[in-house]
Amino acid sequence: AQSVAQPEDQVNVAEGNPLTVKCTYSVSGNPYLFWYVQYPNRGLQFLLKYITGDNLVKGSYGFEAEFNKSQTSFHLKKPSALVSDSALYFCAVRDGNSGYALNFGKGTSLLVTP
Amino acid sequence: GAGVSQSPSNKVTEKGKDVELRCDPISGHTALYWYRQSLGQGLEFLIYFQGNSAPDKSGLPSDRFSAERTGGSVSTLTIQRTQQEDSAVYLCASSLGRTSGRPEQFFGPGTRLTVL
């Protein structure tokens, strides 16, 4: 079984400040972890992934995420938030050994204020 | 095309009618997925196609739901005798094959289905 928890329904941050969106996961095999962003009335856009290698992964639009095996976390970060980053963010996991379908968290709404 | 395309973008139907939703994946992607996004249930996996293999239908919520993929490309999701609880956004995604080392899935814009 696999699952993802995004403990915050909403994250508020001022423009220019660093942001963190939290994600913890549970998976029986090797974790493949992903972050997606969804703008209103749009599909999901792929931001970044972790499958192996360096724990810090960099993705689109200046986002990065840190894989922490001991804490089973994969938090999304950005050093300086933009108003245009305001959107819904989803963390997802699949079992790298045997899975293919993504199991998504419930999403975190990020609001960046000017 | 450059990305995954889906049609129609919006579909309003009456309870009991059948609907067909179409997905055109990224060229060269052998894997295709259908998900459903609703307020109450979040994002749920429905069905997975990989090449010419038999699809994994384990996520389909009832036998009113079916999907096919013709020629390893375009896919159609069919919902028969629609119910109000079928109202949701249906998302299609595609990816390279399992051995590609590129497991990320790319999503289409979705079809918003409203059952009256």
Side-chain angles (χ1 to χ4, degrees), chain B residues 15-110:
Chain B
K15 178 182 173 181
K17 301 284 190 182
D18 297 353
V19 296
E20 285 190 351
L21 312 180
R22 176 188 167 104
C23 172
D24 204 337
I26 293 172
S27 177
H29 281 191
T30 57
L32 186 147
Y33 316 75
W34 283 97
Y35 294 84
R36 179 169 71 172
Q37 185 175 24
S38 58
L39 280 177
Q41 301 298 322
L43 277 152
E44 305 171 274
F45 163 75
L46 297 177
I47 189 168
Y48 162 68
F49 295 90
Q50 173 59 61
N52 295 320
S53 302
D56 179 345
K57 306 178 183 180
S58 61
L60 294 178
S62 79
D63 59 8
R64 296 186 294 105
F65 288 71
S66 63
E68 63 177 21
R69 188 179 185 191
T70 54
S73 180
V74 171
S75 176
T76 303
L77 177 69
T78 301
I79 309 174
Q80 294 179 310
R81 306 180 302 282
T82 51
Q83 305 294 312
Q84 288 183 334
E85 60 263 28
D86 298 335
S87 296
V89 177
Y90 290 81
L91 294 167
C92 176
S94 69
S95 72
L96 294 170
R98 288 181 60 84
T99 58
S100 69
R102 300 284 303 276
E104 58 268 33
Q105 299 175 21
F106 294 89
F107 285 79

Side-chain angles (χ1 to χ4, degrees), chain A residues 8 43 63-64 78 105 111:
Chain A
E8 303 151 318
F63 284 94
E64 58 189 30
K78 187 173 183 181
L111 179 62

